[in-house]
Amino acid sequence: MPAPESPTPQPATPQPSAPAWQPVLAEHRHIPGILALYETVWGRPIAEDELRWKLFDGPYGPLASVAMIEERCVGLYAVIPTPLLLDGAPVMGAQSVDTMTHPEFRRQNMSVTLARHCYAEATRRGYALVYGVPNENSYPMFMSKLGWRHLDTMTRLARPLAAPRAVPRLLAPLADGLIAAQVRLSGATAPVHLDRVGRGTHFVPPPPVGGSARCRVHHTPEWLAWRYGAEPGASHERLVLGPQTAPEALAVFDMARDDNDPAGRPLLRISLLLGAPEARARAVRALLRLGLERGARSAIFVSSDPQTHALLRPLGFRPREGMPLAFGALARPMEHLPDRAGEMAFEGGDRD
């Protein structure tokens, strides 16, 4: 019996190609498209005032690249222009913040293309470097395709102000008392000024303190007013040690909600700590006592600076988890930039 004939192959139906996108520098007219992209990629909306504050309203202007198809935004790579001190001299740099690609346009090298487009503009402006704390998804791209250097770790430092959850309930009051006594007996503090931070807050930073770090954020009054005074929905407070017009130490903090604490105790989250070492230590002692008064479970601070770690260790802070601190070269060649751990001193609010 003859074998049945094979069906005649039909020509494949050509699939429509995705429309071409173009990288352009983000402008205010792109905000509606960027908002829609955040909601698509994150699965939740971002408030327009938060987006404007973060990417458009900083004191040094916006710097982001978007992938556009006519009026539709399908990709974003954004940095925040940030003043730095590099080897003691003021320079401009950039903090890498958000990278996203619309699901319909993945596997097109979009993030790398947008990052390079953004870096070209930053280099044209004379920005020295770009830094950030890439997560596990973006880390390979920054290291292998954008030429970043993994220099250090942004470490979360924690100091208990109440009995840890692992302590049995019957022993918790005793542990609470021991911790409180330790905080109160840790050393003398000087009188401090406390106030809420808002759009009218005028910041006077202490004089920059030298150290082994070659690169750190230059905490100018303009940068501080934007970072803490203008952040939508924030509840930042300020502690000033010494005269407000010439402070010895300056700290910014808030009482953050801790969803993992069954008793509903907050976290004392320190975002900024400036001043000479002894003045900063006295400011932290005052903050820890304030945390006790407000029923905080613990105090936390994030820093890559070994000198800050050494300062906080005698006050009961211990390292917990961390994230990589890395950077890429822009207008300054990589061989002229930090090349060993401890040479970049970033902390708390210096990062997104």
Side-chain angles (χ1 to χ4, degrees):
M1 182 175 182
E5 295 183 3
S6 300
T8 304
Q10 299 296 315
T13 302
Q15 297 297 315
S17 58
W21 48 269
Q22 295 294 326
V24 298
L25 291 176
E27 301 177 4
H28 284 81
R29 64 187 177 88
H30 296 129
I31 287 177
I34 296 173
L35 288 169
L37 180 66
Y38 270 91
E39 184 164 5
T40 297
V41 174
W42 284 5
R44 57 178 175 81
I46 179 175
E48 182 173 341
D49 61 349
E50 181 182 350
L51 177 71
R52 287 180 176 274
W53 167 78
K54 184 176 183 180
L55 299 188
F56 289 92
D57 296 344
Y60 306 100
L63 182 52
S65 291
V66 288
M68 299 299 297
I69 301 174
E70 296 180 348
E71 297 303 311
R72 184 187 183 197
C73 178
V74 296
L76 169 73
Y77 178 80
V79 302
I80 297 174
T82 303
L84 303 174
L85 290 172
L86 179 61
D87 294 326
V91 300
M92 279 301 298
Q95 180 196 171
S96 180
V97 284
D98 291 341
T99 305
M100 58 185 68
T101 300
H102 193 284
E104 296 176 10
F105 295 86
R106 289 176 181 158
R107 302 185 183 280
Q108 297 184 23
N109 209 38
M110 181 183 289
S111 294
V112 173
T113 300
L114 292 178
R116 289 173 176 163
H117 184 266
C118 183
Y119 294 172
E121 173 61 18
T123 302
R124 188 191 69 80
R125 297 183 190 180
Y127 288 15
L129 59 88
V130 55
Y131 78 93
V133 284
N135 61 32
E136 60 184 12
N137 294 323
S138 57
Y139 182 91
M141 178 188 78
F142 286 116
M143 296 300 117
S144 63
K145 296 185 178 181
L146 295 175
W148 279 39
R149 172 182 290 167
H150 182 169
L151 191 74
D152 215 333
T153 301
M154 290 286 284
T155 303
R156 182 177 183 266
L157 304 161
R159 203 280 182 220
L161 294 174
R165 289 189 291 269
V167 173
R169 183 176 299 179
L170 290 176
L171 298 178
L174 176 60
D176 287 345
L178 290 174
I179 291 171
Q182 187 182 41
V183 169
R184 295 189 179 104
L185 297 173
S186 63
T189 63
V192 298
H193 170 81
L194 286 171
D195 63 5
R196 293 275 180 181
V197 174
R199 287 190 175 272
T201 302
H202 175 65
F203 285 90
V204 179
V209 177
S212 59
R214 293 178 55 196
C215 183
R216 64 179 70 239
V217 169
H218 189 190
H219 297 101
T220 64
E222 296 79 13
W223 189 90
L224 292 169
W226 163 78
R227 176 62 186 87
Y228 300 110
E231 183 180 1
S235 300
H236 297 300
E237 298 181 65
R238 177 177 60 170
L239 179 147
V240 178
L241 181 68
Q244 294 185 59
T245 55
E248 300 174 45
L250 170 66
V252 175
F253 65 97
D254 66 343
M255 305 303 295
R257 179 178 176 179
D258 182 5
D259 293 329
N260 296 320
D261 189 87
R265 292 171 294 188
L267 294 171
L268 170 62
R269 183 170 57 187
I270 306 169
S271 296
L272 179 76
L273 186 59
L274 302 179
E278 177 52 35
R280 286 194 294 161
R282 285 184 284 145
V284 172
R285 291 189 190 103
L287 285 171
L288 294 178
R289 294 177 189 186
L290 180 67
L292 280 179
E293 294 172 8
R294 297 187 181 182
R297 180 175 64 84
S298 62
I300 58 173
F301 186 59
V302 176
S303 177
S304 68
D305 184 14
Q307 293 177 318
T308 298
H309 290 206
L311 176 78
L312 296 180
R313 197 173 299 117
L315 300 176
F317 284 81
R318 295 293 180 265
R320 298 293 188 262
E321 69 277 4
M323 292 187 69
L325 172 61
F327 73 96
L330 295 175
R332 298 285 180 95
M334 186 64 86
E335 59 265 26
H336 295 165
L337 297 174
D339 62 0
R340 65 191 65 184
E343 291 190 343
M344 295 186 103
F346 293 122
E347 60 188 32
D350 296 345
R351 65 187 182 95
D352 176 39

